[in-house]
């Protein structure tokens, strides 16, 4: 603080004032202070005190509000339309700035040329890397035996590639401007099928995989609430394009009345997964994405009318700071190593020496399985909650997943004599966020894969929402 020379007091009075000011402001900020009870009591708001103002709003409470936990919510929307229509929209005045609004209007008007082909949501924190996957895991052969007399070759090694949507991102909040810097990678692979590759054009050949690979990696500055175009993958159908937008929101958490004593009991964590038609879910996210309680309340009439379905519900009772796991589903066993078929061998005579027996005859051998692995299917939730010292918040690190076995790999060029390879569909994400204890939170979506091409998999047009209740015991 500056003072004019005419208003300055004596050095002693100024010293006393500075000492009083320092002792009034000198509160411990280190979370590892020795007197944790005193620190928690000093940080707790007094009864009846109004919550602090928004951290980006001017005022005396801006510094205190900036210490409140914040989550970053990311909404991904993918719109498919003809390439020519996209080019025409860009050529209009303000075409790029009005692009998202035009697509929204076209989808809601059911124009027939613009389609919402994907909608994903994930909640995280600034500086936390998060991912989601909505994929079919295609297991395909990569190594083969030598060709027999007919040219037949048998696969001896396999690899896996994900078909569908994979998104990885890390947002960083700038506290001074309120903007977000995001590093992101969006990938969408499509499987057109196998084609036969021939070492000898007169033989049948072996199946090799074709992939329509589409990905974008970038670092982008975004403003909260403003949709930003992050990827423009082509569609599997000629002449089409998908425009992928990301919209980020910063959510400042308002705690309930904090207690001076830290809670020592268990936390009751209840996860609910609800599916509904994509367009209805999309409109629901537009209204209630930031309010899990309101979103769940809006879903209850749809559940009663069977317009939405409760896919999974699971409860974990655990202590804060302990990693916990819930698994519920069938274990699917499948082969991973195989013995190839063998040709017959004729009896070979040793020659003139009667003491050396010849090679015995061997009948033809069939293919066999020599090793196998297993894959857990069904719903799986790995989670670790950590409670704040005042018992108001829980920092959540979690990885929910749903895996289904949708049949064995089928393709016109995948020989019937090759091993059975399962096709797994995976719906999962990994995230870290903060939740007010005693509330319901919408964490994100666990959507099923879209149009991946694997086993002619088509988009089912549905959205899966994951809610989390965190309650004290």
């Amino acid at each position: 603080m500056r003072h004019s020379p005419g208003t300055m007091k004596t050095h002693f009075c100024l010293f006393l004032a500075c000492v009083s000011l320092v002792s009034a402001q000198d509160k411990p900020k280190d979370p590892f202070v020795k007197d944790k009870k005193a620190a928690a009591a000093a940080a707790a708001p007094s009864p009846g005190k109004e919550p602090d103002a928004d951290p980006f709003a001017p005022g005396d409470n801006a510094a205190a509000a900036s210490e409140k936990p914040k989550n970053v919510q990311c909404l991904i929307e993918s719109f498919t339309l003809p390439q020519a229509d996209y080019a025409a929209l860009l050529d209009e005045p303000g075409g790029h700035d009005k692009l998202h609004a035009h697509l929204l209007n076209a989808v809601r008007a059911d124009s027939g040329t613009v389609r919402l082909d994907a909608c994903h949501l994930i909640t995280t924190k600034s500086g936390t890397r998060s991912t989601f996957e909505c994929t079919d895991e295609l297991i395909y052969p990569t190594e083969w035996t030598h060709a027999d007399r007919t040219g037949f070759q048998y696969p001896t090694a396999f690899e896996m590639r994900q078909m569908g949507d994979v998104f990885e991102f890390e947002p960083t909040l700038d506290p001074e401007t309120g903007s977000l810097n995001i590093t992101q990678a969006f990938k969408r692979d499509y499987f057109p099928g196998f084609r036969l590759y021939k070492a000898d054009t007169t033989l049948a050949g072996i199946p090799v995989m074709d992939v329509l690979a589409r990905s974008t990696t970038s670092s982008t500055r975004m403003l909260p609430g403003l949709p930003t175009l992050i990827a423009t993958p082509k569609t599997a159908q000629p002449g089409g394009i998908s425009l992928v937008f990301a919209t980020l929101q910063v959510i400042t958490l308002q705690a309930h009345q904090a207690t001076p004593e830290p809670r020592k009991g268990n936390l009751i964590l209840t996860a609910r997964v609800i599916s509904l038609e994509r367009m209805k879910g999309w409109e629901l996210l537009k209204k209630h994405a930031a309010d899990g309680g309101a979103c769940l309340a809006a879903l209850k009439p749809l559940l009663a009318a069977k317009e939405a379905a409760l896919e999974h519900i699971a409860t974990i009772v655990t202590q804060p700071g302990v990693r916990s796991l819930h698994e519920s589903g069938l274990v699917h066993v499948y082969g991973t190593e195989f013995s190839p078929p063998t040709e017959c061998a004729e009896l070979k005579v040793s020659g003139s020496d009667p003491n050396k027996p010849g090679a015995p005859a061997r009948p033809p051998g069939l293919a066999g399985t020599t090793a196998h692995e297993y894959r857990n299917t069904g719903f799986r939730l790995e989670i670790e909650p950590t409670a704040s010292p005042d018992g108001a918040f829980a920092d959540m690190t979690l990885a929910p997943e749903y895996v289904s076995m949708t049949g064995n790999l089928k393709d016109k060029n995948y020989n019937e004599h090759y091993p059975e390879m399962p096709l797994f569909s995976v719906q999962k994400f990994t995230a870290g966020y903060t939740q007010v204890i005693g509330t319901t939170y919408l964490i994100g979506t666990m959507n099923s894969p879209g149009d991946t091409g694997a086993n002619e998999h088509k988009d089912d047009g549905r959205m899966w929402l994951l809610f989390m209740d965190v309650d004290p015991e």
Side-chain angles (χ1 to χ4, degrees):
M1 181 179 294
R2 295 182 178 178
H3 298 274
S4 62
T7 59
M8 293 183 63
K9 304 297 182 181
T10 64
H11 294 292
F12 181 71
C13 294
L14 180 60
F15 172 74
L16 290 179
C18 292
V19 170
S20 301
L21 181 61
V22 170
S23 41
Q25 294 181 346
D26 189 18
K27 295 181 180 180
K29 296 182 180 179
D30 189 349
F32 301 103
V33 291
K34 295 181 180 179
D35 190 2
K36 292 186 177 180
K37 294 183 179 180
S46 58
K49 181 180 179 181
E50 294 295 327
D52 292 329
D54 186 87
F56 302 115
D60 295 334
N61 291 329
S66 63
E67 298 177 358
K68 292 182 179 179
K70 296 179 181 63
N71 291 325
V72 178
Q73 201 170 62
C74 180
L75 175 67
I76 300 294
E77 301 166 291
S78 176
F79 304 93
T80 297
L81 69 161
Q83 290 186 118
D85 291 357
Y86 173 49
L89 290 173
L90 291 179
D91 292 339
E92 294 181 0
H96 183 77
D97 295 335
K98 298 178 181 179
L99 184 59
H100 185 265
H102 175 85
L103 296 174
L104 291 184
N105 295 333
V107 168
R108 287 172 173 156
D110 195 13
S111 64
T113 59
V114 180
R115 182 173 65 92
L116 180 72
D117 64 12
C119 181
H120 309 290
L121 180 76
I122 188 168
T123 303
T124 185
K125 293 187 294 186
S126 174
T128 300
R129 178 168 296 183
S130 301
T131 62
F132 69 71
E133 300 174 12
C134 313
T135 61
D136 285 326
E137 294 183 345
L138 184 68
I139 303 174
Y140 61 98
T142 56
E143 295 183 13
W144 305 83
T145 60
H146 293 293
D148 62 15
R149 296 177 184 178
T150 65
F152 178 78
Q153 293 181 260
Y154 192 79
T156 59
F158 293 80
E159 293 184 3
M160 187 275 289
R161 181 154 182 162
Q162 294 173 309
M163 302 294 160
D165 286 1
V166 178
F167 182 63
E168 181 178 3
F169 79 110
E170 181 177 340
T172 304
L173 176 64
D174 187 339
E176 296 182 358
T177 64
S179 64
L180 289 150
N181 295 321
I182 173 175
T183 56
Q184 60 89 19
F186 180 85
K187 185 176 74 168
R188 176 179 288 176
D189 282 359
Y190 177 82
F191 177 59
F194 288 108
R195 61 181 172 85
L196 293 176
Y197 177 79
K198 302 180 180 182
D200 182 336
T201 57
T202 65
L203 302 178
I206 59 173
V208 294
M209 181 177 62
D210 282 334
V211 177
L212 176 59
R214 299 160 290 180
S215 65
T216 301
T217 303
S218 65
S219 178
T220 311
R221 178 179 176 271
M222 297 185 183
L223 296 177
L226 184 65
T228 303
L229 184 65
I230 63 170
T232 56
K234 289 186 176 181
T235 62
Q237 294 73 30
I241 192 170
S242 295
L243 307 183
V244 183
F245 288 84
T247 306
L248 272 62
Q249 296 283 3
V250 179
I251 302 173
T252 302
L253 302 180
Q254 300 290 343
H256 297 316
Q257 180 65 45
T259 59
E261 294 289 338
R263 290 194 177 103
K264 297 182 180 179
N266 297 322
L267 289 176
I268 304 174
L269 314 175
T270 300
R272 310 175 201 220
V273 182
I274 299 174
S275 70
L276 72 164
E277 195 268 331
R278 180 182 296 142
M279 289 298 298
K280 292 181 180 179
W282 179 56
E283 294 289 359
L284 199 63
L285 293 182
K286 294 290 186 182
K287 297 178 182 178
H288 303 302
D291 190 341
C295 189
L296 184 59
L299 276 170
K300 289 183 177 179
L302 299 179
L303 289 168
K306 299 189 182 303
E307 297 179 16
L310 179 63
E311 301 288 349
H312 304 281
I313 184 168
T315 298
I316 297 175
V317 181
T318 185
Q319 296 184 52
V322 178
R323 179 169 295 184
S324 303
L325 176 65
H326 164 88
E327 287 183 315
S328 180
L330 295 175
V331 177
H332 184 83
V333 180
Y334 63 100
T336 55
E337 295 181 14
F338 308 91
S339 59
T342 57
E343 297 180 286
C344 64
E346 298 179 356
L347 176 64
K348 292 185 179 180
V349 182
S350 62
S352 59
D353 189 352
N355 296 322
K356 293 183 180 180
R362 186 180 69 244
L366 301 178
T369 303
T370 60
H372 67 266
E373 291 184 1
Y374 66 90
R375 179 72 179 272
N376 290 328
T377 64
F379 184 66
R380 184 179 191 271
L381 175 62
E382 186 175 3
I383 189 167
E384 182 176 346
T386 303
S388 60
D390 59 4
F393 302 99
D395 287 329
M396 311 283 286
T397 303
L398 74 164
E401 179 181 33
Y402 176 69
V403 178
S404 58
M405 194 277 193
T406 59
N408 291 317
L409 179 62
K410 297 178 182 179
D411 188 89
K412 64 180 181 180
N413 290 321
Y414 192 80
N415 195 295
E416 62 180 349
H417 296 289
Y418 293 159
E420 288 185 340
M421 281 293 115
L423 182 67
F424 295 107
S425 289
V426 178
Q427 306 162 225
K428 67 180 292 186
F429 67 81
T430 59
Y433 73 102
T434 303
Q435 181 166 345
V436 178
I437 295 178
T439 64
T440 299
Y441 209 92
L442 172 59
I443 309 172
T445 55
M446 296 178 60
N447 297 330
S448 57
D451 186 5
T452 67
N455 281 12
E456 299 182 352
H457 189 160
K458 300 298 182 181
D459 181 16
D460 64 2
R462 292 185 70 80
M463 177 187 296
W464 293 38
L465 302 175
L466 174 63
F467 296 87
M468 181 66 68
D469 300 340
V470 179
D471 297 303
E473 190 178 43

